[in-house]
Amino acid sequence: MTKRTLVLAGLVLAGLLLVGLAAAVFGPKGRSEAPASGVVRTDDAPQPSRKIPTLYCEFYNFVGRSPKVGFTFAVTDRDSRPDFAQVSQFEMDGSRAEFGRDTPRPAWAFDDAQVPATLTSPDGAIVINLYAYDRTKSGGAWFEAGLRSVQYLNLDGKCRQGAA
């Protein structure tokens, strides 16, 4: 197999693992709450069995051949508005940050009053543009996204919402 095929296969596997991890973390054992501090904490009280949808986004290096950074979010509704709690982040160098039981999940701000809709990190350092995002659709369709930050520069990418 070519190097590109191996990288793509690895990315698909990593994405599936992240979606599975999010489903396991947000399964019947935990429920996300978004306090005013912008941090989401997991409640240990038993909850009805339901899966929380996820949003997975990955952004590519300047030549668009390999992912540079990826984010996974748990998406919940609060007062008919979606809340996005960051579940994990991976870097091109293989490092990974997981948020959950031991580390509070950062709550990203969602703004769909403009086109494209945006997700903004709690510190405002990262903005993800979501082109053609429709939170009512899930199940694997990729859509275009863009990352804007000083740390990562401006990167093109794509996102996919996992099934609820």
Side-chain angles (χ1 to χ4, degrees), residues 60-99:
Y60 305 98
N61 63 12
F62 67 95
V63 293
R65 294 193 179 171
S66 61
K68 185 168 186 172
V69 63
F71 303 89
T72 302
F73 301 93
V75 184
T76 57
D77 286 328
R78 180 183 307 272
D79 301 325
S80 75
R81 296 283 305 153
D83 284 335
F84 292 82
Q86 186 176 358
V87 174
S88 66
Q89 179 174 340
F90 78 86
E91 303 285 335
M92 186 172 170
D93 65 5
S95 62
R96 176 184 295 298
E98 299 287 336
F99 305 98

Side-chain angles (χ1 to χ4, degrees), residues 1 8 30 41 52 63 66 72 105 115 153 162:
M1 283 197 266
L8 289 174
R41 299 203 180 266
I52 307 259
V63 293
S66 61
T72 302
R105 291 191 173 102
V115 175
L153 305 174

